[in-house]
Amino acid sequence: MIDYDKITDIFCIVDEFCKDFDATTQPFLLGKPSKRPPTMSKSEIISICMLFHLSGFRCFKHFYIFYLQRHMQREFPNTVSYNRFVELSQSVLMPMSIFLKTCCLGLCTGISFVDSTPIRVCHTKRIKRNKVFKGIAEVGKSTMGWFYGFKLHIVLSDKGEILNFAITQANVDDREPLKNEAFLKAVFGKLFADKGYISEKLTKILFVGDIHLITNIRNNMKNSLMTMNDKIMLRKRSVIETVNDELKNICQVEHSRHRSFTNFITNIVSGLIAYSFLPKKPSISYQQNRSNQILAF
């Protein structure tokens, strides 16, 4: 379980953001506001969603009923029923997403990594029986085989901080998000990826935008000159695989118990926010040696 002081810090950060969000969006709301004050505030709902991903529980219902409502009454005295909270958690998807984009993403240092990981919504044997994601999810293939669901694309810094993310269907090519300028808006310098991102056209497009895409080569490709530093950094690309593993096994962005698409997105966004609050993130350490030697490209 996480420390109670950490709970207070998280709630204070979220509460300050929610106050600014309400003050900014209040003039643009349609209709008359409800005269009945809400039982739980937006900051409480968002904080509880984040705390679940940091608590170690595998089931949110058990976390909410048997832990939060019993042992955290001092921190959250006005909790609602479980079914009502599930409805409220879906209603705060917009402020939660804006909080992730504005307050939880890291800063680029010139060395970044990009990769995608499958988000399975059910077993492949139950694809035809799945009604929640019918017409939304697709069948795709990864290095581990075929799966039904979506792909989570993330850009990671060398410090283990997420720079940006995107959610696509499972049959979307890994290189498609890189063609979107908004996805790599905060990225510059060298971007390391696996062989699935090999594309001469994409490399030229990114190079114009001050991004050098570096990948390994396939067996049927001609060899290309590469500096020793780039070869070493390609070997350290496993750091993003570690982050993907933590997102699934610690922050639990992947499970098969969703009952709506909105609940699915809410779970992923809250999991990404929870990752940003982890005390220790996977990172790499390296030293750059400056030399006057002319490099050949």
Side-chain angles (χ1 to χ4, degrees):
M1 299 301 170
I2 60 176
D3 188 14
Y4 286 97
D5 294 335
K6 187 69 173 180
I7 297 175
T8 305
D9 296 339
I10 292 175
F11 178 79
C12 291
I13 296 173
V14 176
D15 190 56
E16 289 296 329
F17 168 81
C18 290
K19 290 179 181 179
D20 295 338
F21 177 82
D22 292 337
T24 305
T25 58
Q26 187 66 32
F28 304 97
L29 296 179
L30 300 177
K32 297 181 180 180
S34 178
K35 296 181 180 180
R36 181 180 178 181
T39 306
M40 298 188 69
S41 62
K42 291 187 180 69
S43 54
E44 289 179 318
I45 299 171
I46 296 175
S47 299
I48 291 175
C49 292
M50 294 166 50
L51 292 175
F52 162 68
H53 295 278
L54 298 174
S55 63
F57 280 82
R58 302 298 298 178
C59 178
F60 180 77
K61 186 175 183 179
H62 291 172
F63 165 75
Y64 187 81
I65 296 177
F66 299 109
Y67 181 75
L68 187 132
Q69 289 187 328
R70 292 184 181 182
H71 305 287
M72 299 182 66
Q73 295 181 353
R74 182 169 60 90
E75 288 77 12
F76 302 98
N78 299 321
T79 57
V80 296
S81 64
Y82 169 75
N83 293 333
R84 177 57 180 164
F85 185 86
V86 173
E87 297 176 357
L88 294 176
S89 63
Q90 298 179 12
S91 65
V92 297
L93 178 58
M94 179 178 290
M96 190 185 299
S97 302
I98 297 176
F99 177 72
L100 172 60
K101 284 285 188 178
T102 57
C103 303
C104 300
L105 299 182
L107 298 176
C108 182
T109 60
I111 295 179
S112 309
F113 304 89
V114 62
D115 196 10
S116 67
T117 183
I119 304 295
R120 300 171 179 84
V121 296
C122 72
H123 196 274
T124 53
K125 295 181 179 179
R126 294 187 288 271
I127 293 178
K128 295 183 179 180
R129 289 183 290 171
N130 189 289
K131 298 180 180 180
V132 177
F133 297 95
K134 185 177 181 180
I136 303 176
E138 295 290 343
V139 178
K141 188 177 182 180
S142 66
T143 55
M144 301 300 294
W146 295 94
F147 68 97
Y148 179 71
F150 302 87
K151 282 183 179 180
L152 175 62
H153 308 261
I154 61 172
V155 183
L156 193 75
S157 69
D158 56 340
K159 297 180 180 180
E161 298 176 342
I162 297 178
L163 304 179
N164 208 344
F165 72 97
I167 303 172
T168 63
Q169 292 175 318
N171 58 354
V172 176
D173 191 275
D174 291 345
R175 294 166 289 191
E176 285 298 321
L178 299 184
K179 300 178 182 179
N180 188 357
E181 295 182 0
F183 184 66
L184 299 177
K185 184 177 180 180
V187 179
F188 62 89
K190 296 183 178 181
L191 181 63
F192 297 90
D194 57 13
K195 297 179 182 179
Y197 291 85
I198 295 176
S199 174
E200 183 178 357
K201 182 179 179 181
L202 179 61
T203 303
K204 293 180 180 179
I205 295 174
L206 295 180
F207 192 78
V208 175
D210 196 19
I211 299 176
H212 185 194
L213 181 62
I214 302 175
T215 63
N216 283 317
I217 60 174
R218 295 191 177 98
N219 295 331
N220 58 351
M221 296 175 60
K222 295 182 179 179
N223 196 7
S224 60
L225 294 177
M226 185 182 301
T227 62
M228 184 58 65
N229 288 334
D230 293 344
K231 291 183 178 180
I232 295 175
M233 296 305 296
L234 278 175
R235 294 179 180 179
K236 294 182 178 294
R237 200 190 59 82
S238 59
V239 64
I240 197 170
E241 302 289 350
T242 305
V243 172
N244 288 332
D245 181 74
E246 289 192 358
L247 288 174
K248 291 184 177 182
N249 297 319
I250 296 179
C251 299
Q252 303 174 39
V253 298
E254 180 189 50
H255 66 79
S256 59
R257 301 181 299 275
H258 300 292
R259 295 297 175 263
S260 67
F261 179 72
T262 307
N263 189 16
F264 166 75
I265 297 296
T266 303
N267 180 75
I268 290 184
V269 173
S270 58
L272 293 174
I273 296 175
Y275 172 80
S276 65
F277 283 94
L278 289 178
K280 187 176 181 180
K281 302 179 180 64
S283 60
I284 59 175
S285 59
Y286 61 94
Q287 295 180 353
Q288 293 183 349
N289 296 326
R290 295 185 178 181
S291 175
N292 295 327
Q293 182 182 3
I294 299 177
L295 300 180
F297 292 93

